[in-house]
Structures are given as C-alpha cells and as structure tokens.
Amino acid sequence: MKKNCSIVIFTSVFLMTNLFAQEAKIELPEVVTEVSGYNVSAEKDSLPNFEVVVDLPPSSEDIVPVLPEEDIPENKYQPSLLQEPIKMHGDGLIGGGYPGILLGEFNLFQIDEKNPLALNFTHDSAYGYANHSLLSGYSDRNTKINLEKTFTFDTLKLDLQGAFETIGTGLQSQQENFSSINQNKLYGFSQISWNPLPNFSIGTNVNLSYYNRYLDATKNAEAISSIPRWETELNIFDLEPNFFVKWSDFGFTAGLNGQYLLNVDTSDIFDDSKTLNRGFVQAAFGWKNEIFGVNGDVGIVFGNQLAENQVIVPFTVSFSLNLPSYFSSRNTTIALYGGLKSQPTSILNKEIDCKFSAFNQIPQEQSDWFGAFELVLPIKSSFTGKAFVEYKQTALNNGVWDVDYSNMLGSGLYGYSKLTRQTLATEFSVSYKYKIFSLTGKWKSNWFYVPSFEAGQHVSLDISFQDDNLLWGTSLSAGIPIVAALEYVPTIDFEAFVTISKSVRIMLNANDMVKLFTGQTRLYAGNYVGRSGSATLSIKYIF
C-alpha cells in the first residue's frame, strides 16, 4: 500500500524586530515540502539555503539580554544550610564470662573528611582466676578512655588527643603487707602542621604524660616503713616538644626533625638519677621507584643519661626491592637495613608492659648496633611466605633495662637491672588463604638472649573460616611457648561470631582452653600466674 505524508513548515521571526529596533528586518520565505512514497526524500531547492549568512547591523554586537534582578535574603543560601549534617556513627560491646570477667567497649566516630572525631572507651576486668576466690588477689582490670579530634583550615591542620588509662593488678597473696598494684596514665598530644605546598609540610607537636603507681596497703604505716618508697609509689612527668620539616617529590623524600625530652621524678623518691634531659636532632632522606628504594637518616643525641658518652650519633641505612615473582602474580619484597639505634627507656611503658615491676631510678639511654633482613615471598595466589631476622648488640655501654623476675622485692614487686647483651631474633611464617578459609603457621625465636616477658621459642598455628559478608566466622589458634624450666603446655584459643542483624553480632571466646578445662594455672613470670583460661560471651552492636 502506498503511503503519503506531507510536512508543512511555517517559520516567521517577529521577535527580532523588537531587538533591532526596526533598524533591520529579516524575513524567511514560507516553505512547503511534500514528501511521498516509502523513501523520504526532498528536492535540492526545497529547503532554504542556510549557507547564506545574514548580516546584522553594526549595533547588534551590543545586544545582550537583560534578566530581571531578584532580591535574595542574606541567609537564604548560607553554606551551613546547604551542607549535609555531619553524621555520627558508633558501636559498642558488652560481655562477661568466667572467671569473673566483665567486658565493655564504646566507640563514637564523627565522619568528616577534614574534621574527624573519635571517642573510645574500653574496660576489661577479671576476678578470682586460677581457681581462687574473688578476694584472693588473683585479679586484674584495665579501663581506658581516648579522645581524638582534627581541625583543618585550608593549609593548616590541628590534631588533638587526650587519653586516660587506669590499671589494677592483684598481688595474688604473695605479700602480706600489700594487696594490689595500681597504675594510672594521663596522656595528651597536640600537633599543628602547615602545608604551603602539596609536597611540603612544617609543623610542631607536644607530648605530655603523667604516670602514677602505688600499692594498696593492708598493714599500717609502721609495718611497711622498712620498704623503700620507690617500691610502694612513684610519680613521673614527661614533656616532649618536637618540630619537623618534610618534603617529597619525584620519588625523593627529605626531612628534618628535632625533639627535647624532659623526664622528672615529681615524687622525689629516687636516690639517684631523678631527671632526664635529652635532645635529639635528625636528618632523613630517601628515594624509591616501583622496584628499588633507599633510605637513610643520621642524628645526634645529647643529654645527661648517656653513660660516659657526651654525644651519640645514631644512623640507619636501608634498601628495599619490589620484584616480580616467578611463582605468583604478586610481587616479592626484600628489605635490608642496619645501623646504630639509640633511644630513651620509658618507665611508663616498661612498667605497664612488664607486670609486677618497679624502677628505682630514671633509666639511662639504650643503644644498639643492629642489622635486619625481611622477605615476603608470594607463591601462586594463595600462599605467602615471610622471613624476618634481626641481630642486636649493646653499644657504647648503654645496655638494655630488663626485669629481674628471679628476685622478689619486699613489696612483692620485681626490680630492673641494666644488661649488656647480644641477641638474634628470627620469625618465619607461611600462610594460605582460599575463599573463606585461611591458615597461618609461625615460628618465633629469641637466640642468645631472651627478654624476661618472652619465650625463647614459640610455635603457633592459626586456622580460621570467615564468611565473605561477615555473617559468621570462627577461628582456632594454638601456640607452644618453649621456655627453659617451664611446662610445654600449648595455649589454645577459640573464637566464633555470628551476625544476627545489620547492627547486632554475638561473639564467643575461649582462651587458654587446656588450663580452663583442667583448672591448672599458667605461670606469667616470677611467682605470679596469668588468667589461666577464660570463656566469655559478648554482644557487639552498631548504631
């Protein structure tokens, strides 16, 4: 069937007359084009010739449309009204278990790229472990609150942090005059940095900390008068201002930093060495590309706790390689570094890390010659092998400060001594991951010298299954600490969780299950034992 269609175009321009103010009149011809048949076509002269340029009058270049003005209230489009409200997110955990365990955690986050906020609160306590009564001194507790806030102003950035931690540990009836040791830590940090250029920054920061340790006495003052005060109480104040300058571009990095450390026995308890004054200036440099990297730093240390040294010049040189692997699509990484390391010994960190210990003076500097090697070797897509070897040797007569757990003091605590030592630490591990399954085996060793709170040899195996969407998961870990004169009973831990909604997760933990089921104790150090097995059930919620 033959189809006919007609297209009629009528074009008129009458608005232009108002714009040109009758100085130019442009008329377009009326065009009627008829098209018929299946193939739509038109004659050559059926449409106007648009190649002809219409000449506008000279004054037309000044013609600009004018829009009417509108009065906008000053506060109608304020940025604060246009921006989305800053969102707060949080999560928490509450749980309990055997023996007398109470767990609590609360985290609050302000999601803001430039001005984030983080608030964290944690509590962990246990009473009456190792098959003892709740009031027998076999207890420990740890409560901590931490606040961090960042403010960003164009090229300026201000970081603030404040934290408070309180720790209590029962003395397990080892001393009749005292029942527990209490440790309190107050910490503050502030830093301001200026980035006038994308790859350049300069800034300064200050670290402040206050550490307080005291024993709860069960006897009157006369009964404990023979015990030195540094065993029963201690107050340490630390002040550490720093400055830094950093630059990086074209694979190069360079920096300069300096710090001053003041460490004071504010309780005036120590007989000798009541203060530490330490200055440190360091320059660092480096370069790397996709395959090779080299870094180095050199500094100078001066102060009043350097043994017989007037100054110390620590330095480090390191090399790294990132090479394609024949065995895997992932790269093999190799790192080699060494030099002279020198650092102050923190009473606060040492006494908290090594339980039941007490310093009797401000410790001197610790200096070591050291060298280390690291290797990460991927195999296929699922296997990864790692190796770490580090050697240390005491330098410049600035030995390491370690706890002597073989000699208990009259307060029930253990003292520190300065040691000259050489040590070789090694760690080898192999891990395998396939979908939701992962397996890791590790062997860690301390040769020649074994720190008081570590094992000479430790072998461990970790197995875990975890859903890709984190709906459920479970893990089992076993470790055997091999320490001279101690039992070789493995430490076996179990953990499982299940997510019952988008905001609620239930978790089950069982630690040191061999001791938990047998009711036996596990030695921590000296005459003191650890929790020796525990089981907890907790609920984590997100809001």
Side-chain angles (χ1 to χ4, degrees):
M1 177 182 292
K2 183 177 181 180
K3 295 182 179 179
N4 296 319
C5 64
S6 297
I7 303 175
V8 180
I9 304 174
F10 298 96
T11 308
S12 63
V13 181
F14 60 91
L15 296 176
M16 299 296 293
T17 59
N18 294 330
L19 295 175
F20 298 149
Q22 297 182 351
E23 291 184 10
K25 294 183 179 180
I26 303 174
E27 296 182 357
L28 296 179
E30 182 179 303
V31 179
V32 178
T33 302
E34 294 185 358
V35 182
S36 62
Y38 287 97
N39 298 322
V40 180
S41 62
E43 298 295 334
K44 178 179 180 181
D45 298 329
S46 298
L47 296 176
N49 184 7
F50 294 106
E51 295 180 356
V52 177
V53 179
V54 179
D55 295 330
L56 295 178
S59 61
S60 66
E61 63 183 5
D62 298 327
I63 298 174
V64 178
V66 179
L67 298 177
E69 296 184 357
E70 179 181 359
D71 294 329
I72 302 175
E74 293 183 0
N75 61 346
K76 184 176 181 180
Y77 296 109
Q78 292 295 328
S80 60
L81 299 179
L82 292 177
Q83 294 176 350
E84 294 184 1
I86 297 175
K87 296 181 179 179
M88 303 292 290
H89 298 273
D91 61 72
L93 180 145
I94 186 169
Y98 172 84
I101 292 178
L102 177 62
L103 301 174
E105 183 175 351
F106 176 79
N107 301 290
L108 186 64
F109 306 97
Q110 176 181 316
I111 308 301
D112 188 337
E113 182 178 354
K114 292 185 177 181
N115 304 301
L117 170 71
L119 175 64
N120 170 259
F121 170 83
T122 59
H123 175 81
D124 182 4
S125 61
Y127 293 87
Y129 49 75
N131 287 327
H132 290 83
S133 64
L134 296 178
L135 302 179
S136 60
Y138 288 78
S139 61
D140 60 72
R141 57 171 175 81
N142 186 303
T143 304
K144 182 177 181 180
I145 184 170
N146 183 75
L147 177 64
E148 299 180 24
K149 176 63 179 175
T150 297
F151 298 93
T152 304
F153 312 94
D154 294 330
T155 58
L156 288 177
K157 184 178 180 182
L158 175 64
D159 296 296
L160 300 173
Q161 181 184 2
F164 174 73
E165 183 177 9
T166 178
I167 303 171
T169 308
L171 295 180
Q172 303 177 8
S173 303
Q174 295 292 328
Q175 225 288 336
E176 63 177 0
N177 295 323
F178 304 99
S179 60
S180 63
I181 175 175
N182 300 278
Q183 298 165 290
N184 300 306
K185 171 186 175 182
L186 185 63
Y187 174 76
F189 171 80
S190 64
Q191 175 175 289
I192 183 168
S193 57
W194 178 44
N195 296 78
L197 299 173
N199 302 314
F200 178 80
S201 64
I202 182 172
T204 181
N205 60 60
V206 177
N207 291 275
L208 287 170
S209 65
Y210 175 76
Y211 172 65
N212 163 249
R213 164 177 54 82
Y214 66 93
L215 298 180
D216 285 329
T218 58
K219 300 288 185 179
N220 56 41
E222 183 178 352
I224 61 176
S225 59
S226 61
I227 298 177
R229 282 185 61 201
W230 60 266
E231 296 185 33
T232 62
E233 60 177 307
L234 180 64
N235 296 281
I236 296 292
F237 173 75
D238 287 348
L239 170 64
E240 185 181 348
N242 301 268
F243 79 88
F244 60 88
V245 179
K246 298 178 182 179
W247 171 85
S248 62
D249 206 353
F250 307 108
F252 291 93
T253 60
L256 178 68
N257 68 85
Q259 66 177 218
Y260 169 74
L261 175 60
L262 173 65
N263 191 259
V264 181
D265 165 27
T266 58
S267 53
D268 195 26
I269 291 176
F270 294 154
D271 295 331
D272 300 315
S273 185
K274 299 177 183 293
T275 62
L276 166 67
N277 289 279
R278 183 182 187 269
F280 177 54
V281 180
Q282 182 188 58
F285 57 92
W287 175 84
K288 70 174 182 179
N289 58 19
E290 296 181 355
I291 299 177
F292 179 74
V294 58
N295 291 275
D297 60 67
V298 62
I300 182 171
V301 178
F302 50 92
N304 66 334
Q305 297 291 347
L306 306 181
E308 65 269 16
N309 305 284
Q310 297 297 321
V311 295
I312 298 174
V313 183
F315 67 93
T316 303
V317 178
S318 65
F319 303 92
S320 62
L321 289 173
N322 188 26
L323 303 173
S325 176
Y326 175 79
F327 307 101
S328 173
S329 58
R330 296 172 293 159
N331 286 352
T332 298
T333 60
I334 302 173
L336 182 65
Y337 48 92
L340 174 63
K341 182 186 300 183
S342 190
Q343 59 191 10
T345 301
S346 170
I347 292 181
L348 185 156
N349 294 332
K350 271 285 190 179
E351 289 195 356
I352 290 180
D353 292 340
C354 305
K355 294 182 179 181
F356 313 106
S357 64
F359 273 96
N360 65 348
Q361 66 177 54
I362 299 290
Q364 294 178 341
E365 188 90 356
Q366 176 183 332
S367 303
D368 293 289
W369 297 106
F370 77 101
F373 169 80
E374 291 185 52
L375 170 67
V376 178
L377 178 64
I379 303 173
K380 298 298 181 181
S381 60
S382 302
F383 286 94
T384 303
K386 296 182 180 180
F388 172 77
V389 180
E390 183 181 40
Y391 175 80
K392 288 183 180 180
Q393 169 68 55
T394 296
L396 307 175
N397 199 31
N398 288 325
V400 61
W401 292 82
D402 203 356
V403 190
D404 182 9
Y405 280 116
S406 64
N407 184 21
M408 179 180 285
L409 303 173
S411 60
L413 303 183
Y414 294 90
Y416 283 82
S417 58
K418 179 181 175 182
L419 305 175
T420 298
R421 57 90 174 93
Q422 61 175 345
T423 181
L424 177 65
T426 61
E427 184 174 318
F428 303 97
S429 67
V430 177
S431 61
Y432 171 79
K433 181 173 178 57
Y434 179 73
K435 295 184 178 180
I436 66 172
F437 172 74
S438 65
L439 172 69
T440 300
K442 184 182 297 183
W443 174 28
K444 184 178 180 181
S445 304
N446 288 295
W447 309 93
F448 309 147
Y449 165 78
V450 180
S452 57
F453 51 91
E454 293 187 16
Q457 307 289 326
H458 190 273
V459 180
S460 63
L461 180 66
D462 299 326
I463 303 173
S464 67
F465 294 86
Q466 183 168 285
D467 177 66
D468 292 335
N469 298 319
L470 300 179
L471 298 178
W472 61 271
T474 182
S475 65
L476 181 69
S477 63
I480 302 178
I482 305 175
V483 185
L486 294 181
E487 57 183 355
Y488 300 155
V489 178
T491 302
I492 302 177
D493 301 329
F494 171 80
E495 178 180 349
F497 74 87
V498 59
T499 302
I500 60 177
S501 71
K502 292 183 178 179
S503 58
V504 178
R505 175 182 296 177
I506 298 178
M507 295 178 289
L508 174 66
N509 295 77
N511 297 319
D512 201 355
M513 291 193 295
V514 174
K515 299 297 183 179
L516 176 64
F517 295 138
T518 61
Q520 298 177 350
T521 60
R522 183 176 296 278
L523 185 66
Y524 170 78
N527 294 340
Y528 292 99
V529 301
R531 289 191 177 182
S532 305
S534 62
T536 59
L537 179 66
S538 56
I539 299 176
K540 185 172 185 178
Y541 52 91
I542 301 173
F543 56 90

